[in-house]
Amino acid sequence: MRFDILTLFPEMFQGPFSHSILKRAQERSLIEIHVHYLRDWALDKHKLTDDAPYGGGAGMVMKPEPIFRAVEDLSQGSGEGFEVILLTPQGVPLIQSLVEELAAKEHLLLIAGHYEGVDERVRQALVDREISIGDYVLTGGELPAMVLVDAISRLLPGVLGEEESARDDSHTTGLLEYPHYTRPREFRGLSVPEVLLSGDHARIARWRRKESLRRTLLRRPELLATAPLSEEDLQLLAEVRKEEGK
Ligand code: 9D3
């Protein structure tokens, strides 16, 4: 998978892409990430990339010409499997099923907006889809672009280690995870649930499933409507509801 990112703040990307899993994935040529400075495509002598909004009002709007020129350059030779994505608060919210859909593409060009937004003609003529990472206000599209690259990359073959990828995400889909414990057995008067020390794998699996259901009921009850639940799950959920008085 190739990612191209267009931004006015290319330095912001150096940290997240130079460490740990994304670093290793690039070294192994599993992903390619190219961060581009939008100003490099500005035509005028001041290299202006933003201007005042027609119709008046506060804030600046990103000019169309540099973005058009950059996207035209960076999309050379790409066909099927290429998409231009604008990160914007007005986009569709990013969820895991969308991440999975995008992980099947070959080449993504991400435009990280700044200021009040981009000239509408960029949307009309260049952008295939607009994505938001959630309903809160950030200072720009850079962090959302990093989030998107991270979420997609970890789904690509070979990017996660054996152990991490073996723990299939789809296994846990729909529910929050159960509580995890490691040594020591007792820490500052807080002990590990006895069942986890029992060696009884069936009992442990049942406990974990029940605690997943408990967490989901208490924190994200709306997920229970769509999570695929077995007969045993419904039984466990009934126990949890009773215990929690819900
Ligand atoms: C005055 C209206 N503001 C919209 C709420 C303007 C505005 C604020 C912040 C326009 C752009 C931004 C910068 N944010 C993004 O570019 C952005 C974003 C976000 O703020 N939250 C969640 N996802 C995203 S994706 C891009």
Side-chain angles (χ1 to χ4, degrees), residues 5-9 12-13 62 86-90 111-118 131-134 136-147:
I5 301 170
L6 263 184
T7 174
L8 290 171
F9 300 94
M12 284 183 71
F13 293 83
M62 288 173 73
L86 176 66
L87 285 311
T88 165
Q90 291 134 62
I111 305 174
H114 230 93
Y115 313 119
E116 288 310 294
V118 304
I131 295 177
S132 157
I133 62 162
Y136 40 83
V137 184
L138 300 169
T139 57
E142 284 77 15
L143 286 165
M146 294 179 223
V147 165

Side-chain angles (χ1 to χ4, degrees), residues 48-59:
L48 279 186
T49 54
D50 62 306
D51 205 341
Y54 274 121

Side-chain angles (χ1 to χ4, degrees), residues 17-36:
F17 293 162
S18 310
H19 294 98
S20 184
I21 290 169
L22 294 187
K23 181 185 184 189
R24 196 180 60 185
Q26 290 173 90
E27 287 167 354
R28 295 177 173 182
S29 302
L30 301 172
I31 58 171
E32 266 182 54
I33 307 174
H34 302 273
V35 179
H36 307 276

Side-chain angles (χ1 to χ4, degrees), residues 18-240:
S18 310
H19 294 98
S20 184
I21 290 169
L22 294 187
K23 181 185 184 189
R24 196 180 60 185
Q26 290 173 90
E27 287 167 354
R28 295 177 173 182
S29 302
L30 301 172
I31 58 171
E32 266 182 54
I33 307 174
H34 302 273
V35 179
H36 307 276
Y37 190 24
L38 181 60
R39 274 191 97 185
D40 292 344
W41 282 274
L43 283 171
D44 63 296
K45 71 170 179 189
H46 295 110
K47 296 196 175 243
L48 279 186
T49 54
D50 62 306
D51 205 341
Y54 274 121
M60 299 292 269
V61 176
M62 288 173 73
K63 292 169 65 59
E65 303 96 315
I67 301 178
F68 269 73
R69 285 161 37 78
V71 171
E72 282 158 6
D73 278 353
L74 297 171
S75 59
Q76 285 297 323
S78 278
E80 281 290 298
F82 172 67
E83 277 206 28
V84 178
I85 297 175
L86 176 66
L87 285 311
T88 165
Q90 291 134 62
V92 299
L94 185 64
I95 56 174
Q96 191 64 18
S97 57
L98 177 52
V99 175
E100 286 165 13
E101 184 183 342
L102 294 172
K105 306 286 176 187
E106 242 157 52
H107 183 190
L108 298 177
L109 172 41
L110 310 181
I111 305 174
H114 230 93
Y115 313 119
E116 288 310 294
V118 304
D119 185 285
E120 190 63 20
R121 290 162 293 189
V122 169
R123 290 201 159 83
Q124 287 172 345
L126 289 183
V127 169
D128 296 308
R129 57 174 119 205
E130 302 181 32
I131 295 177
S132 157
I133 62 162
D135 292 338
Y136 40 83
V137 184
L138 300 169
T139 57
E142 284 77 15
L143 286 165
M146 294 179 223
V147 165
L148 189 55
V149 168
D150 189 278
I152 291 170
S153 297
R154 65 179 289 288
L155 295 183
L156 301 177
V159 168
L160 293 188
E162 193 101 322
E163 203 178 315
E164 298 158 295
S165 62
R167 217 160 25 86
D168 183 11
D169 294 337
S170 67
H171 241 139
T172 49
T173 46
L175 295 180
L176 301 186
E177 278 198 26
Y178 54 79
H180 300 275
Y181 291 89
T182 187
R183 281 182 277 267
R185 198 173 158 147
E186 191 172 313
F187 176 69
R188 300 198 179 179
L190 304 171
S191 47
V192 174
E194 179 276 325
V195 56
L196 298 180
L197 313 171
S198 70
D200 181 341
H201 298 297
R203 220 177 122 224
I204 291 169
R206 216 178 109 86
W207 179 86
R208 285 179 167 167
R209 189 70 181 174
K210 185 172 175 181
E211 295 313 310
S212 274
L213 289 162
R214 187 191 312 278
R215 268 208 177 160
T216 309
L217 177 71
L218 295 178
R219 300 181 184 187
R220 299 288 304 279
E222 79 281 7
L223 296 181
L224 292 173
T226 46
L229 299 180
S230 66
E231 279 303 316
E232 195 192 358
D233 289 332
L234 294 174
Q235 170 77 50
L236 292 170
L237 190 56
E239 290 175 25
V240 168

